[in-house]
Amino acid sequence: MGIAEKEIKKFENHNCAENAVFYQAMEEVIYSIAPLLESDEKYIKYAILERLVVPDRIIKFKVTWLDDNNKIQVNTGYRVQFNNALGPYKGGLRFHPTVNEGILKFLGFEQILKNALTGLPIGGAKGGSDFDPKGKSDFEIMKFCSGFMTELHKYIGARMDVPAGDIGVGAREIGYLYGEYKKITSTYEGVMTGKPFFFGGSLMRPEATGYGAVYFTESMLEIEGKEPLTGKICTVSGAGNVALHAIEKLQQIGAIPVSCSDSKGTLHDARGLDLKLLKEIKLKRRGSLQEYVKSHSEAKYIPVDEYPQDGHPVWDIPCYAAFPCATQNELCETDAKNLITNGCVSVTEGANMPSRPEAIELFLSHKICFAPAKAANAGGVAVSEFEMSQNASMSRWSFEKVDTKLKETMQMICKRVALTAKDYGVEGNYVDGANIAGFKKVADAMIAEGI
Ligand code: NDP
Ligand code: 2IT
């Protein structure tokens, strides 16, 4: 039995239905870092894995709120404060009916290593609720956010734990959450990031994750000696904050993004997407992608109930580069086979853990340039840290300054990941490179800080 299998065996008790995605994320990391564990016994001696896979604390609370019919509604809220070896707990909030402790543990665990890769002083956390923002009025969203913050405010602080957005939590929700925090505590401080610009948000935070994923891809393709994205067909999944800004940056650099998807269906516009219309539908109207084909009849819309039995139609579109930007485990083995057969050269994870392990294995064995989430989508949290920095100094950075720093950060992460992979004998494997580089940084801090 190898060192990875031995370590994984220790955590078998974590492997239950609710923890499935957490266990998946943990297993990947342990396999990746095996060469590091073998090369230096201190990580085993100081029981780093045992300490890292258990969150510092999980806060679980009840959220009660009144809907528009004055009916009392009850939801569950969570904050998983995972690890603060490198800085205050930092990570987003997800509002989605599927949210449970296991999903937030997976996201919080990934966040520790992602945040370490940025080189910025931020620890890892995640939180959220099973509240479904879909179909709710603005007042209902506001009332839910107030109820959520009534509990959460006790556990967060600008130097303690700084939440931000994730699925279902954008500038509107952050605004209401932050407003409630301010009302309760009477303090105006950088306790949340992703705030609207006019009351303390950073320019470019909304764009940061999508733009950052494209910057990472440009850097990776250059390092790997592949052709740049300009003029190339790209496929994107998702139609939220990350997906739409990845599409925007791809268009800005002259690539041709042709697809996106939401929870109801997939859109394919072979001439290149009309981003202005997409933003109008998804961000302003919070509508369905189906509306797109009303004004672009050449585009193809496939509703979910017409999807094939196996695989997602978005990954069956021939492309040079693919950007899964919707949610975890959205890209399966069949999708990976389809992408490879159709000549795809690079896959960049904008979402957190969108590719299933079997898909990743295929990408790596077929020498596809594969950019794992914790490296490729770190631009969002990096700009969140820039927002914390601006808030702490009561200053404002220009769009150009943030953009330059974001680009530098993504290039730095990409180079560090590529170099780490080379150092540990797995050149070109950005999964192992990211896991080893992130883990080493956090583990060394944990050792230096004592138990
Ligand atoms: P949004 O809520 O803005 O958008 C999510 C998009 O994905 C929507 O188009 C949604 O469809 C679709 N989607 C969500 N769940 C599912 C599902 N189960 N099946 C099919 N489609 C789904 O979220 P973000 O864009 O912010 O987040 C997308 C991903 O990126 C997540 O994995 C998140 O963790 C990750 N991420 C986000 C960052 C950020 O800064 N926001 C930073 C780093 C990573 P619909 O419109 O129908 O709801
Ligand atoms: O997954 C992520 O990195 C995020 N949702 C953003 C976290 C943050 O604190 O900006």
Side-chain angles (χ1 to χ4, degrees):
M1 198 189 280
I3 196 159
E5 286 79 12
K6 251 193 237 163
E7 289 301 309
I8 287 167
K9 217 171 157 32
K10 287 187 197 162
F11 306 114
E12 259 170 6
N13 58 332
H14 291 256
N15 196 4
C16 61
E18 200 189 56
N19 266 337
V21 276
F22 171 58
Y23 196 79
Q24 180 185 332
M26 188 179 79
E27 227 179 1
E28 179 199 285
V29 170
I30 299 178
Y31 274 116
S32 278
I33 63 168
L36 179 69
L37 300 180
E38 258 153 14
S39 71
D40 196 333
E41 62 179 22
K42 71 180 176 193
Y43 301 111
I44 303 279
K45 179 176 164 200
Y46 284 92
I48 296 300
L49 272 173
E50 286 86 339
R51 292 158 63 193
L52 198 63
V53 302
V54 180
D56 288 351
R57 63 195 67 79
I58 300 178
I59 299 139
K60 182 173 178 182
F61 49 90
K62 180 176 66 181
V63 183
T64 41
W65 54 284
L66 269 187
D67 70 15
D68 286 348
N69 299 315
N70 279 332
K71 205 168 157 245
I72 297 167
Q73 299 289 344
V74 184
N75 287 95
T76 306
Y78 305 86
R79 186 69 180 163
V80 180
Q81 296 180 332
F82 228 118
N83 184 289
N84 64 354
L86 295 173
Y89 300 109
K90 181 84 196 90
L93 298 172
R94 178 176 289 192
F95 291 170
H96 195 271
T98 56
V99 162
N100 60 27
E101 216 170 280
I103 288 184
L104 297 177
K105 273 171 67 185
F106 128 64
L107 290 163
F109 180 70
E110 291 283 290
Q111 198 84 46
I112 307 171
L113 303 187
K114 178 194 312 193
N115 294 3
L117 285 173
T118 65
L120 299 165
I122 38 181
K126 205 82 188 190
S129 173
D130 58 357
F131 171 73
D132 187 359
K134 279 212 185 97
K136 304 286 190 300
S137 72
D138 253 16
F139 274 118
E140 288 177 322
I141 301 281
M142 190 202 292
K143 283 184 282 185
F144 173 78
C145 289
S146 299
F148 186 86
M149 189 50 83
T150 303
E151 276 302 314
L152 186 71
H153 86 275
K154 301 168 194 165
Y155 311 104
I156 60 175
R159 297 282 163 143
M160 190 199 296
D161 182 358
V162 184
D166 194 79
I167 290 179
V169 179
R172 172 182 63 168
E173 290 74 20
I174 297 285
Y176 294 145
L177 289 161
Y178 184 63
E180 187 65 24
Y181 179 86
K182 214 152 47 63
K183 197 164 96 186
I184 298 171
T185 63
S186 296
T187 49
Y188 187 95
E189 56 175 9
V191 69
M192 300 207 72
T193 60
K195 300 182 287 299
F197 176 67
F198 59 96
F199 55 90
S202 175
L203 284 174
M204 263 208 79
R205 177 61 188 88
E207 292 86 351
T209 313
Y211 281 24
V214 176
Y215 292 151
F216 189 97
T217 311
E218 287 181 303
S219 198
M220 173 177 69
L221 292 172
E222 197 186 323
I223 293 172
E224 300 303 318
K226 304 285 186 212
E227 285 179 34
L229 292 166
T230 316
K232 298 284 196 283
I233 301 289
C234 298
T235 48
V236 178
S237 67
N241 174 272
V242 179
L244 295 180
H245 291 108
I247 291 168
E248 184 163 274
K249 183 49 74 180
L250 286 169
Q251 290 185 341
Q252 283 172 13
I253 63 166
I256 310 160
V258 296
S259 74
C260 60
S261 63
D262 63 16
S263 54
K264 299 201 181 70
T266 294
L267 182 68
H268 179 196
D269 190 339
R271 303 156 313 156
L273 293 163
D274 176 348
L275 182 60
K276 197 164 165 237
L277 178 60
L278 277 178
K279 282 189 172 178
E280 171 70 32
I281 295 170
K282 291 306 296 183
L283 300 183
K284 286 216 181 105
R285 282 191 250 144
R286 296 176 193 272
S288 150
L289 287 175
Q290 189 162 19
E291 295 170 36
Y292 185 98
V293 285
K294 285 185 198 150
S295 41
H296 288 295
S297 53
E298 326 73 32
K300 201 170 151 201
Y301 176 78
I302 309 166
V304 168
D305 52 18
E306 289 175 23
Y307 281 7
Q309 284 280 51
D310 188 19
H312 193 293
V314 83
W315 309 126
D316 205 14
I317 302 168
C319 68
Y320 180 76
F323 292 81
C325 296
T327 194
Q328 65 272 4
N329 286 331
E330 57 166 305
L331 197 159
C332 69
E333 190 175 8
T334 303
D335 297 321
K337 281 183 187 154
N338 288 340
L339 282 165
I340 293 165
T341 309
N342 288 330
C344 174
V345 165
S346 119
V347 177
T348 301
E349 296 192 319
N352 283 309
M353 206 171 74
S355 316
R356 298 198 51 81
E358 316 81 63
I360 298 178
E361 229 174 282
L362 277 177
F363 291 143
L364 296 177
S365 62
H366 285 77
K367 302 280 176 233
I368 303 293
C369 295
F370 178 72
K374 57 174 76 72
N377 74 26
V381 78
V383 174
S384 272
E385 197 276 347
F386 301 163
E387 184 172 330
M388 289 161 72
S389 187
Q390 292 169 75
N391 291 162
S393 58
M394 300 292 262
S395 63
R396 283 286 164 91
W397 299 357
S398 68
F399 192 93
E400 291 69 30
K401 178 170 174 175
V402 182
D403 193 29
T404 305
K405 282 179 75 78
L406 170 65
K407 199 168 195 173
E408 285 168 0
T409 305
M410 299 315 294
Q411 289 169 344
M412 178 277 292
I413 297 173
C414 189
K415 280 189 199 137
R416 178 178 297 165
V417 167
L419 263 178
T420 306
K422 197 171 169 197
D423 285 350
Y424 284 84
V426 282
E427 193 168 358
N429 184 331
Y430 286 58
V431 176
D432 289 354
N435 284 326
I436 295 171
F439 176 85
K440 192 168 175 341
K441 192 136 204 260
V442 181
D444 290 347
M446 286 169 73
I447 292 170
E449 289 170 15
I451 53 169

